[in-house]
């Protein structure tokens, strides 16, 4: 089996684990100690998504794979790039909430359906990025305080309101949906800037 990490062939090791998943984990731990994070994994030239990593590799023996290619990136660089990407999306969130609230309470509420789905998708991506950044910095969102609650608690509350808004959308309760967007989701959209500021402060502290 050929193992290549960041373009460099890795010599066979007698203590390699018996399946591909455990080997990827072991390589990931070694990279982590070097301040790097895995960006992509390829098996026999086929890309493996992070979501499919466990299912596709957990029971796959090393003998069944000819080539494993892993690429990584400096963790601090990834954190900074991800924070910058989130920053660019944040100004849109509260504006979109207020605009959608007006649309759903107008005479043409159907015009807001697709924009609401896009808003929910963008917000979901932002939350995933925040979690990824926190994990990369070994920072618990349960220990990161945002006003009178933790960031984890904020995310849990936000998920609840997004689910309530989605249900209101499906049941065409447009009055409730407009109220949720205006009075619950828009203020929470504003708070995302505070979360990113907290993550930036921690990233700067770790960078020294």
């Amino acid at each position: 089996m050929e193992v290549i990490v960041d373009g460099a062939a890795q010599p066979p090791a007698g203590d390699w684990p018996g399946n591909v998943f455990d080997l990827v984990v072991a390589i990931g731990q070694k990279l982590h100690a070097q301040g790097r994070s895995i960006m992509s994994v390829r098996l026999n030239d086929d890309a493996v998504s992070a979501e499919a990593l466990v299912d596709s590799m957990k029971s796959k023996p090393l003998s069944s794979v000819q080539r494993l290619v892993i690429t990584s990136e400096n963790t601090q660089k990834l954190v900074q790039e991800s924070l910058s990407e989130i920053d660019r999306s944040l100004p849109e969130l509260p504006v979109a909430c207020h605009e959608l609230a007006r649309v759903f309470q107008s005479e043409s509420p159907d015009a807001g359906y697709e924009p609401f789905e896009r808003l929910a998708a963008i917000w979901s991506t932002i939350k995933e990025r925040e979690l990824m950044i926190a994990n990369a910095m070994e920072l618990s969102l349960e220990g990161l305080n945002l006003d009178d609650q933790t960031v984890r608690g904020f995310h849990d509350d936000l998920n609840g309101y997004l689910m309530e808004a989605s249900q209101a959308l499906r049941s065409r309760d447009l009055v409730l949906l407009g109220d949720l967007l205006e009075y619950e989701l828009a203020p929470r959209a504003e708070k995302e800037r505070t979360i990113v500021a907290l993550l930036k402060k921690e990233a700067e502290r770790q960078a020294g």
Side-chain angles (χ1 to χ4, degrees):
M1 177 183 180
E2 184 181 17
V3 178
I4 299 175
V5 179
D6 292 330
Q10 304 298 301
D15 59 349
W16 275 2
N19 64 67
V20 178
F21 177 77
D22 289 342
L23 176 57
V24 172
V25 170
I27 293 173
Q29 291 173 341
K30 182 178 179 181
L31 289 168
H32 178 74
Q34 300 169 359
R36 301 183 68 82
S37 299
I38 291 178
M39 289 294 293
S40 67
V41 176
R42 300 185 70 88
L43 283 182
N44 298 331
D45 296 326
D46 294 324
V48 180
S49 68
E51 295 78 12
L53 196 62
V54 177
D55 291 339
S56 63
M57 296 186 182
K58 191 63 177 178
S59 59
K60 188 181 288 294
L62 299 183
S63 59
S64 67
V65 177
Q66 294 180 332
R67 183 182 174 90
L68 170 66
V69 179
I70 292 176
T71 57
S72 70
E73 181 58 89
N74 179 274
T75 300
Q76 284 296 329
K77 180 182 177 182
L78 288 175
V79 166
Q80 294 296 341
E81 289 177 350
S82 293
L83 286 169
S84 295
E85 288 179 12
I86 294 175
D87 248 348
R88 288 194 290 271
S89 301
L90 290 185
E92 303 173 16
L93 283 182
V95 173
C97 289
H98 290 303
E99 289 182 350
L100 281 173
R102 287 193 291 271
V103 169
F104 283 121
Q105 294 175 347
S106 72
E107 295 180 356
S108 305
D110 288 349
Y113 279 52
E114 288 187 13
F116 175 80
E117 296 294 345
R118 289 198 298 272
L119 172 67
I122 291 170
W123 215 332
S124 177
T125 299
I126 288 174
K127 290 187 296 177
E128 289 172 2
R129 288 292 180 88
E130 288 170 350
L131 180 58
M132 181 200 75
I133 291 168
N135 287 338
M137 295 191 294
E138 298 184 337
L139 181 68
S140 171
L141 294 183
E142 294 176 352
L144 196 62
N145 291 321
L146 177 68
D147 298 332
D148 58 348
Q149 64 181 164
T150 66
V151 173
R152 174 72 69 186
F154 173 86
H155 280 177
D156 290 343
D157 285 350
L158 175 60
N159 288 339
Y161 283 115
L162 285 172
M163 289 178 61
E164 189 176 355
S166 295
Q167 179 58 44
L169 183 67
R170 288 192 295 270
S171 62
R172 295 186 66 85
D173 189 344
L174 302 182
V175 174
L176 173 60
L177 181 55
D179 286 346
L180 287 169
L181 283 162
E182 186 72 28
Y183 302 114
E184 300 296 349
L185 294 176
R188 285 170 172 78
E190 294 285 357
K191 281 191 175 183
E192 289 288 359
R193 297 186 182 189
T194 305
I195 294 175
V196 171
L198 289 171
L199 293 172
K200 281 185 175 181
K201 184 176 181 181
E202 178 62 22
E204 291 169 359
R205 187 190 68 79
Q206 291 190 11

